[in-house]
Amino acid sequence: MPITFPRELPDVGYLAADVVLREGVTASSAASGLINYTQVAPAVWEASLTTRSLLLSQFAELEAWWISLRGGLRSVLFRHPHVCYPKAHWQNHGPADDPGNLLSVADGNLLSVNSVDAGLVLAPGDRIGLERSGRYYVGRVTEASGSGTTRTITVEPPPFATVALAGAVVRFAKPAILMRPVPDSFQAPRNGRFYTVSFKLVESA
């Protein structure tokens, strides 16, 4: 059976799954002595993962998955293996499992969303996702308001134009983004019979 890309993250168990935003901003001194800040690249998410101890057979399967990505030429559909729901719904998943519909985006990062579950509760720090035509976005909620089946949600970083369009699906549970391997980041030290694997992924278009 042929492999379909982007591939899901293997479910091998992870001791750590740290996801940080690389903002693409540099600071430089001006002749006046002031500091100039410049956006030199789009903000992207980077994930650093470390597995639990793996037997040889488990390590071999994970390595085969990594090799299939061809050093970043092929992509991963990354969903955080630990943080899957808004914090208000870690136990009561139901309201977050229902996706919303994006109505509009104002000021680049203010999302108007309808068709949500009336019981949905969002708070600063929660992650949400947008999906449209095979494009994916994940952002942090910085503010949320609304009642009934509509919400107004401010997110960072601002979603990119090709996904921030009316009709995009808004995910509150297990939001996904496209990522690719960071070259030469795969490490697999061995301790007796066991391997502990670490690797990095970075958001891609």
Side-chain angles (χ1 to χ4, degrees):
M1 181 177 179
I3 297 173
T4 301
F5 294 90
R7 300 195 73 177
E8 296 277 351
L9 191 69
D11 184 16
V12 296
Y14 296 90
L15 297 177
D18 300 319
V19 181
V20 297
L21 185 65
R22 304 300 184 197
E23 295 181 294
V25 173
T26 62
S28 59
S29 298
S32 62
L34 299 176
I35 304 297
N36 293 326
Y37 290 85
T38 306
Q39 184 93 39
V40 296
V44 294
W45 294 104
E46 183 177 280
S48 300
L49 297 109
T50 303
T51 70
R52 62 179 178 81
S53 296
L54 304 178
L55 293 169
L56 174 60
S57 59
Q58 297 167 319
F59 161 71
E61 290 181 11
L62 180 59
E63 185 183 42
W65 170 83
W66 180 264
I67 291 171
S68 76
L69 303 174
R70 297 185 180 176
L73 297 178
R74 290 172 168 173
S75 58
V76 178
L77 192 59
F78 177 84
R79 306 175 201 272
H80 200 291
H82 300 155
V83 184
C84 303
Y85 286 88
K87 60 186 176 183
H89 299 289
W90 286 350
Q91 295 185 359
N92 178 24
H93 295 170
D97 281 331
D98 288 341
N101 172 68
L102 183 64
L103 291 175
S104 63
V105 180
D107 298 326
N109 67 335
L110 183 63
L111 313 183
S112 295
V113 182
N114 69 355
S115 300
V116 307
D117 189 290
L120 178 70
V121 177
L122 296 174
D126 290 334
R127 287 188 178 97
I128 68 167
L130 300 178
E131 299 176 14
R132 183 181 180 277
S133 301
R135 304 298 299 272
Y136 297 84
Y137 159 87
V138 167
R140 287 274 195 191
V141 175
T142 60
E143 188 175 359
S145 62
S147 60
T149 60
T150 63
R151 297 291 185 276
T152 301
I153 309 166
T154 305
V155 292
E156 290 291 346
F160 45 91
T162 53
V163 76
L165 295 172
V169 176
V170 185
R171 299 282 183 196
F172 308 106
K174 304 176 183 177
I177 50 174
L178 285 174
M179 290 188 142
R180 294 178 187 269
V182 174
D184 301 321
S185 66
F186 190 89
Q187 304 292 326
R190 180 179 177 182
N191 184 7
R193 298 170 54 227
F194 297 98
Y195 296 80
T196 302
V197 179
S198 63
F199 57 90
K200 292 182 179 182
L201 303 169
V202 67
E203 184 180 1
S204 69

